[in-house]
């Protein structure tokens, strides 16, 4: 069930009404109902997916208990069981065919013919997200940072919580699980803010991302027939599509969480206004980046063993992150491309220059240095999108060749038709860059605020209709 | 909770009120909008007749045919047009073997066509009538909301087409592609004969009789290679229709086996501007000679 579908528009009010009618005094019933609703939401795609999520939740719930009850090496074995089951499921469903195909082409390259069959495997929606979420639970218990849950309903509801089940934010058990274990009272301000955040997310998805997709899809599909200027527009449109698609989804997820009394973590913090590459990665898909830092980078040694190991660890993070996005060499190259841009900052010790500050702090406009930094970041990220969007390395190569052939004439003016809308979005995001989302505008007079809400709702209804799937569902 | 429910309710009511106002205005515009031109002879059908008959060479005629149109939509367009222009005396309906293809039945639910078809249909086809073609109701709802509820718009004439000469020369394409498109579900399976199209052809006939409108049917010329590949069941169906029209005294001007030079065609089954000029004049001559 997509958030931008009619099915969900019917599902949500029913779940919301029943959930709060159950009452805050019956927290367990609320959790059980949320679990049921989440399974309905997930099973709507394919009921067979429910077996996987149930299995993953069951294993981690039991392993959590075992780790607590064991001492010494036994704890480690149980942790490895959890890692093996979760990564095994992920590996099989997401990467099996990729590895088989690569082995076959590797053997062929060595002159040996093998006829291993690939399988028709459907990738269960959101498997990359919830496996990481449950893994964080067992690892945190192992590290002694979290107590094992004794309440299976809460735990199962935490794993399958429908607002963030299929595309994150990837929540840590330490943050989200306790929220399932305490009473949740209806908070008007929180629910109101959540509703506005959902509307803002829908706006980004339906009005911006889905319209940018029209041009981005066309240009990538016809990359050999168009000139450099159109190819340039293609990567700009695609970057904006990915940003609005995924941050829009995250806004909706966080907003939905607020409607049910939960506070989910921020996943995007206006990353396109970053002044350097490290700042970009601190603001883009925050929940995944921080997951990799906590559960891969630090166990690898982090920044403790000298510069070379630090560089190695950072490159590993980016490569793994690329591979997490999909079983394709293009994603691995994308990860490498992004990682390489990070290294110079790491080597020169400039990778934490902008921690805890916002661009143009206290001012309306950025300084020249900030602006030039921001432009450089966006140019680099735009280029990285060629790898991200291409179906294979050959297409990425052809795209780059076309892009750098410097054949900019004639400029396809017709493809600029969505630019006013995009500029409007970014001007607006610039103005609200210190807020959580674009509709946190309480400071404006009533009439102006309500006109903006009405305008945004109108545009959603006007552009509504395509029900494009979210890009990140495929990951 | 109460305050939140009230506010949500207030916004929902506001949206409903806004929708209601727009619905009222748009319904009024649909009722009072004069679309198309008053004419003596109306040309109606799908892309073959749209590019095949040029009303400029006819006396007081209008061609409102649209590409991919099925006869179900044609019937409803005709009804609406005659309601607006009751002085219409004659209707020329384009038909062919493909008129009876089951492919036509999918147009209100096939993702490729449904948006366009709903856009043409929302102002002229009542929901109950639409049920018979098994439409995609989601697409219908979205089209309806967009066209009727979001803002007042004075034009609701997406169902009106016009003569449109095809200049694109697609002869390089294989003839099989054209045949495949009209008659085959996939590489090997044919679409069944469309009962809905057969029924609605009768509806057009009876409607014209009821309104005292002289109905003629025309099958435009097509290239030999195309005609030779038309599946047998469609040939049989067309022969049955021919007899049926003959029985009802409805003239059928059948040019489909007319052997014209390739220069008259835009592709295997569509005439170009030159072909349209020839057909229009030839048709008028035949009509006058009868």
């Amino acid at each position: 069930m997509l958030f931008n579908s009619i099915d969900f528009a019917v599902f949500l009010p029913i779940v919301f009404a029943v959930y709060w009618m159950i009452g805050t005094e019956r927290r367990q019933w609320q959790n059980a109902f949320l679990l049921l609703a989440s399974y309905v939401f997930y099973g709507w795609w394919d009921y067979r997916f429910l077996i996987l999520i149930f299995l993953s939740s069951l294993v981690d719930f039991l392993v959590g208990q075992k780790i607590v009850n064991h001492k010494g090496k036994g704890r480690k074995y149980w942790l490895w069981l959890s890692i093996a089951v979760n990564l095994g499921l992920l590996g099989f469903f997401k990467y099996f065919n990729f590895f088989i195909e690569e082995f076959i082409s590797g053997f062929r390259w060595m002159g040996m013919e093998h006829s291993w069959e690939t399988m028709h495997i459907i990738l269960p929606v959101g498997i990359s997200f919830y496996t990481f979420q449950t893994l964080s639970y067992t690892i945190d218990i192992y590290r002694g940072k979290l107590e094992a849950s004794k309440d299976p309903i809460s735990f199962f509801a935490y794993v399958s919580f429908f607002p963030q089940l299929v595309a994150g934010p990837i929540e840590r058990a330490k943050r989200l699980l306790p929220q399932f274990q305490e009473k949740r009272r209806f908070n008007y301000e929180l629910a109101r803010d959540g509703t506005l955040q959902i509307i803002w997310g829908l706006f980004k998805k339906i009005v911006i991302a889905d319209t940018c997709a029209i041009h981005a899809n066309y240009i990538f599909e016809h990359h050999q027939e168009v000139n450099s200027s159109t190819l340039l527009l293609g990567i700009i449109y695609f970057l904006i599509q990915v940003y609005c698609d995924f941050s829009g989804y995250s806004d909706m997820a966080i907003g939905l969480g607020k409607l049910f009394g939960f506070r989910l973590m921020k996943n995007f913090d206006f990353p396109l206004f970053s002044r350097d590459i490290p700042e970009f990665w601190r603001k883009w898909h925050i929940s995944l980046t921080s997951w990799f830092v906590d559960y891969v980078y630090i166990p690898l040694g982090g920044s403790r063993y000298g510069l070379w190991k630090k560089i190695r660890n950072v490159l590993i993070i980016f490569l793994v992150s690329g591979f997490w996005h999909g079983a394709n060499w293009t994603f691995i190259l994308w990860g490498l491309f992004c990682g390489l841009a990070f290294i110079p900052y790491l080597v020169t010790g400039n990778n934490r220059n902008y921690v805890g500050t916002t661009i143009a702090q206290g001012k309306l406009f950025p300084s020249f240095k900030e602006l030039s930094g921001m432009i450089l970041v966006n140019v680099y990220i735009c280029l990285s999108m060629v790898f991200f969007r291409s179906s294979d390395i050959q297409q990425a190569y052809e795209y780059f060749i076309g892009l750098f052939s410097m054949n900019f004439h004639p400029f396809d003016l017709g493809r600029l038709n969505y630019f006013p809308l995009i500029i409007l979005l970014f001007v607006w995001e610039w103005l609200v860059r210190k807020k959580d989302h674009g509709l946190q505008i309480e400071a404006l007079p009533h009439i102006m605020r309500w006109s903006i809400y009405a305008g945004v709702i109108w545009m959603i209804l006007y552009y509504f209709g395509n029900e494009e799937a979210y890009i990140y569902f495929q990951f | 909770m109460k305050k939140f429910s009230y506010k949500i309710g207030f916004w929902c009511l506001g949206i409903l009120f806004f929708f209601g106002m727009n619905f009222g205005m748009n319904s009024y515009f649909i009722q009072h909008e004069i679309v198309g031109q008053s004419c003596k002879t109306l040309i109606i059908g799908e892309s073959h007749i749209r590019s095949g008959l040029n009303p400029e060479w006819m006396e007081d005629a209008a061609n409102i045919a649209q590409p991919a149109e099925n006869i179900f939509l044609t019937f409803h367009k005709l009804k609406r047009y005659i309601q607006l222009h009751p002085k219409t005396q004659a209707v020329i309906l384009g038909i062919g073997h493909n008129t009876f293809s089951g492919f036509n039945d999918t147009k209100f639910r096939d993702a490729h066509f449904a948006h366009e078809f709903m856009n043409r249909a929302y102002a002229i086809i009542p929901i109950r009538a639409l049920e018979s073609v098994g439409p995609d109701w989601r697409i219908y709802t979205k089209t309806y909301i967009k066209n009727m509820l979001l803002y007042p718009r004075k034009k609701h004439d997406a169902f009106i087409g016009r003569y449109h000469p095809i200049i694109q020369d697609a002869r390089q394409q294989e003839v099989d592609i054209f045949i495949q498109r009209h008659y085959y579900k996939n590489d090997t399976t044919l679409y069944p004969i469309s009962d809905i199209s057969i029924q609605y052809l009768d509806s057009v006939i009876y409607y014209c009789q009821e309104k005292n409108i002289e109905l003629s049917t025309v099958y435009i010329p097509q290239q030999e290679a195309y005609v030779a590949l038309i599946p047998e069941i469609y040939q049989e169906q067309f022969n049955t229709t021919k007899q049926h029209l003959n029985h009802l005294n409805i003239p059928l001007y059948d040019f489909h086996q007319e052997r014209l030079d390739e220069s008259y065609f835009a592709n295997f089954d569509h005439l170009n501007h030159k072909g349209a000029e020839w057909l229009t004049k030839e048709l008028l001559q035949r009509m006058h000679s009868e």
Side-chain angles (χ1 to χ4, degrees):
Chain A
M1 205 184 292
L2 299 171
F3 285 170
N4 55 329
S5 67
I6 293 175
D7 300 341
F8 190 73
V10 175
F11 171 84
L12 179 63
I14 297 171
V15 174
F16 177 78
V18 174
Y19 174 81
W20 288 113
M21 267 160 47
I22 290 170
T24 51
E25 296 308 315
R26 281 172 287 189
R27 178 184 60 80
Q28 275 296 45
W29 284 102
Q30 277 188 327
N31 287 344
F33 179 69
L34 269 185
L35 175 63
L36 176 72
S38 298
Y39 272 45
V40 169
F41 173 84
Y42 195 50
W44 208 258
W45 268 285
D46 191 327
Y47 66 91
R48 290 170 299 179
F49 295 170
L50 293 175
I51 301 166
L52 284 180
I53 197 168
F54 179 79
L55 189 70
S56 180
S57 310
L58 185 67
V59 167
D60 285 313
F61 180 74
L62 296 176
V63 165
Q65 306 284 334
K66 296 287 179 189
I67 291 174
V68 170
N69 295 336
H70 279 76
K71 281 182 181 146
K73 276 196 173 175
R75 300 172 75 242
K76 205 169 214 172
Y77 293 141
W78 285 111
L79 175 68
W80 278 110
L81 176 71
S82 162
I83 293 173
V85 169
N86 283 298
L87 294 187
L89 287 175
L90 185 62
F92 178 74
F93 283 97
K94 194 164 176 173
Y95 302 107
F96 180 80
N97 280 345
F98 173 77
F99 283 116
I100 291 291
E101 282 162 13
E102 290 310 310
F103 275 127
I104 292 171
S105 53
F107 278 119
R108 194 172 295 140
W109 186 72
M110 290 188 285
M112 292 183 269
E113 278 298 327
H114 276 271
S115 58
W116 293 337
E117 292 280 319
T118 53
M119 293 161 78
H120 294 289
I121 302 170
I122 311 167
L123 178 65
V125 183
I127 190 167
S128 313
F129 292 88
Y130 69 73
T131 46
F132 272 35
Q133 188 155 308
T134 50
L135 267 180
S136 79
Y137 169 77
T138 44
I139 296 171
D140 281 351
I141 292 174
Y142 178 79
R143 287 175 175 176
K145 289 181 179 175
L146 183 73
E147 281 185 20
S149 171
K150 288 173 186 150
D151 173 3
I153 302 285
S154 296
F155 180 76
F156 277 59
Y158 149 75
V159 176
S160 62
F161 188 39
F162 74 88
Q164 43 86 249
L165 171 62
V166 288
I170 302 166
E171 278 291 347
R172 306 300 167 75
K174 213 165 44 174
R175 229 185 93 87
L176 186 57
L177 194 52
Q179 295 185 55
F180 279 92
Q181 287 160 344
E182 59 197 29
K183 273 186 188 174
R184 296 177 290 274
R185 296 196 180 283
F186 185 82
N187 178 333
Y188 169 76
E189 286 305 327
L190 192 67
R192 178 183 168 281
D193 190 50
T195 309
L196 291 172
Q197 196 160 0
I198 294 168
I199 293 170
W200 184 245
L202 273 174
F203 174 81
K204 283 205 277 190
K205 166 66 182 160
I206 293 172
V207 180
I208 310 290
D210 289 353
T211 47
C212 285
I214 296 167
H215 284 320
N217 290 344
Y218 179 86
I219 295 168
F220 271 87
E221 275 161 28
H222 298 86
H223 65 281
Q224 285 177 307
E225 298 152 31
V226 296
N227 66 17
S228 306
S229 54
T230 309
L231 291 173
L232 183 63
L233 281 181
I235 49 177
I236 296 172
Y237 273 124
F238 184 63
L239 173 62
I240 295 161
Q241 183 198 346
V242 174
Y243 168 63
C244 289
D245 187 285
F246 194 24
S247 70
Y249 182 89
S250 296
D251 276 332
M252 281 183 261
I254 296 165
L256 284 167
K258 287 175 182 172
L259 275 186
F260 292 91
F262 291 86
R263 288 171 197 272
L264 302 181
M265 71 182 290
K266 201 174 192 174
N267 214 15
F268 285 83
D269 190 11
F270 304 103
L272 301 183
F273 299 144
S274 299
R275 291 156 286 186
D276 62 18
I277 294 285
E279 188 185 19
F280 178 85
W281 290 113
R282 277 195 298 276
K283 293 177 168 220
W284 177 280
H285 204 174
I286 299 166
S287 63
L288 181 71
T289 312
S290 59
W291 196 98
F292 276 123
V293 169
D294 288 351
Y295 300 108
V296 183
Y297 182 73
I298 291 173
L300 284 172
S303 52
R304 279 170 293 170
Y305 303 111
L307 185 64
W308 289 110
K309 286 220 167 145
K310 202 154 73 170
I311 293 172
R312 181 202 68 179
N313 294 345
V314 165
L315 280 178
I316 288 174
I317 292 285
F318 275 100
L319 287 172
V320 173
S321 166
F323 201 46
W324 176 89
H325 281 85
N328 194 329
W329 284 104
T330 51
F331 287 115
I332 297 171
L333 277 181
W334 172 75
L336 182 67
F337 189 79
C338 295
L340 289 175
F342 197 95
I343 303 298
Y345 295 94
L346 199 66
V347 172
T348 55
N350 286 316
N351 56 319
R352 299 185 65 79
N353 280 354
Y354 297 114
V355 175
T357 62
T358 316
I359 189 166
Q361 205 149 8
K363 291 180 288 180
L364 185 58
F365 297 108
S367 66
F368 178 74
K369 190 184 164 200
E370 287 177 325
L371 182 67
S372 45
M374 202 167 87
I375 292 170
L376 274 177
V377 169
N378 281 286
V379 168
Y380 198 84
I381 299 299
C382 266
L383 290 175
S384 77
M385 288 295 126
V386 175
F387 293 113
F388 201 89
R389 175 62 175 75
S390 295
S391 50
D392 52 38
I393 293 174
Q394 176 71 20
Q395 192 191 0
Y397 172 74
E398 287 163 0
Y399 202 101
F400 275 122
I401 292 288
L403 189 63
F404 290 110
S405 67
M406 299 295 169
N407 171 23
F408 288 100
H409 188 76
F411 194 84
D412 191 355
L413 285 172
R415 295 214 172 271
L416 289 178
N417 56 345
Y418 294 134
F419 256 66
L421 205 59
I422 292 164
I423 291 167
L424 190 71
L425 172 83
F426 284 103
V427 168
W428 187 254
E429 287 221 322
W430 178 263
L431 295 173
V432 297
R433 66 191 181 279
K434 285 168 202 153
K435 308 278 185 187
D436 286 338
H437 59 84
L439 290 181
Q440 269 188 347
I441 46 173
E442 288 74 19
L444 293 180
H446 241 80
I447 185 83
M448 203 190 239
R449 206 153 33 99
W450 283 39
S451 306
I452 291 169
Y453 298 155
V456 166
I457 292 170
W458 188 88
M459 287 180 87
I460 291 169
L461 291 170
Y462 184 79
Y463 282 92
F464 182 70
N466 293 334
E467 281 184 27
E468 286 274 332
Y470 290 84
I471 292 176
Y472 265 69
F473 281 15
Q474 63 184 299
F475 306 142
Chain B
M1 186 72 179
K2 253 186 191 174
K3 191 178 170 188
F4 182 75
S5 308
Y6 283 148
K7 278 222 169 169
I8 291 286
F10 172 79
W11 273 94
C12 290
L13 277 178
I15 291 170
L16 282 178
F17 179 71
F18 177 72
F19 279 0
M21 263 179 29
N22 288 326
F23 176 76
M25 280 190 274
N26 283 320
S27 301
Y28 177 85
F29 291 140
I30 288 174
Q31 288 301 316
H32 294 84
E33 184 187 10
I34 302 295
V35 292
Q37 62 190 80
S38 185
C39 60
K40 270 192 201 162
T41 307
L42 181 69
I43 302 160
I44 202 162
E46 34 82 286
S47 63
H48 295 122
I49 200 85
R50 173 179 177 248
S51 59
L53 283 183
N54 187 344
E56 277 178 26
W57 289 307
M58 299 171 93
E59 193 199 330
D60 196 12
N63 186 340
I64 62 163
Q66 287 177 305
E69 188 169 309
N70 54 22
I71 203 142
F72 168 76
L73 184 58
T74 302
F75 167 69
H76 288 282
K77 277 171 73 164
L78 179 67
K79 264 176 80 174
R80 179 73 180 135
Y81 202 90
I82 300 300
Q83 196 186 354
L84 292 166
H85 307 289
K87 287 180 184 165
T88 308
Q89 292 170 5
V91 165
I92 299 175
L93 171 71
I95 62 166
H97 289 95
N98 65 306
T99 307
F100 306 102
S101 168
F103 175 47
N104 291 307
D105 299 348
T106 66
K107 302 238 169 106
F108 283 91
R109 55 179 177 269
D110 179 275
H112 186 65
F113 288 99
H115 283 282
E116 170 61 20
F117 268 69
M118 295 301 185
N119 231 5
R120 295 182 196 172
Y122 78 89
I124 52 171
I125 304 184
I127 287 183
R128 279 199 181 165
L130 207 55
E131 272 173 0
S132 65
V133 286
D136 183 328
W137 287 113
R138 284 172 189 233
I139 297 177
Y140 179 79
T141 310
K142 286 168 194 169
T143 313
Y144 201 81
I145 290 174
K146 219 166 245 189
N147 287 294
M148 295 292 288
L149 308 181
L150 288 186
Y151 56 94
R153 43 188 284 167
K154 286 194 168 174
K155 280 195 152 310
H156 295 271
D157 60 351
F159 63 96
I160 297 291
R162 64 186 172 85
Y163 167 70
H164 186 83
I166 302 179
I167 45 170
Q168 178 205 355
D169 187 352
R171 270 171 289 177
Q172 298 93 325
Q173 283 189 328
E174 295 292 319
V175 65
D176 304 31
I177 296 170
F178 289 82
I179 290 288
Q180 198 79 26
R181 194 172 57 202
H182 284 137
Y183 302 102
Y184 286 85
K185 254 186 206 172
N186 52 42
D187 286 351
T188 49
T189 318
L190 276 171
Y191 278 110
I193 298 285
S194 160
D195 290 333
I196 296 171
S197 298
I198 295 170
Q199 285 163 19
Y200 273 90
L201 176 63
D202 280 341
S203 301
V204 171
I205 293 167
Y206 297 132
Y207 182 75
C208 287
Q209 282 175 349
E210 188 190 314
K211 297 284 173 187
N212 283 324
I213 294 169
E214 197 184 317
L215 174 69
S216 317
T217 53
V218 176
Y219 193 161
I220 72 152
Q222 289 175 332
Q223 289 194 23
E224 207 174 348
Y226 178 90
V227 174
L229 290 176
I230 294 171
E232 208 170 314
I233 58 160
Y234 286 99
Q235 292 185 25
E236 284 166 14
Q237 176 56 45
F238 188 70
N239 289 335
T240 311
T241 305
K242 246 172 146 174
Q243 288 166 9
H244 182 56
L245 291 172
N246 192 29
H247 176 71
L248 294 169
N249 285 327
I250 311 284
L252 167 65
Y253 299 98
D254 186 358
F255 293 91
H256 90 276
Q257 282 172 324
E258 199 82 27
R259 294 285 75 91
L260 294 178
D261 186 70
E262 273 195 13
S263 65
Y264 286 82
F265 289 95
N267 53 36
F268 287 104
D269 60 336
H270 289 92
L271 293 171
N272 59 19
H273 195 58
K274 184 181 165 188
E277 183 180 351
W278 176 85
L279 180 67
T280 311
K281 289 176 180 170
E282 186 67 21
L283 177 68
L284 286 175
Q285 210 177 3
R286 285 201 198 177
M287 281 175 141
H288 288 143
S289 66
E290 282 180 11

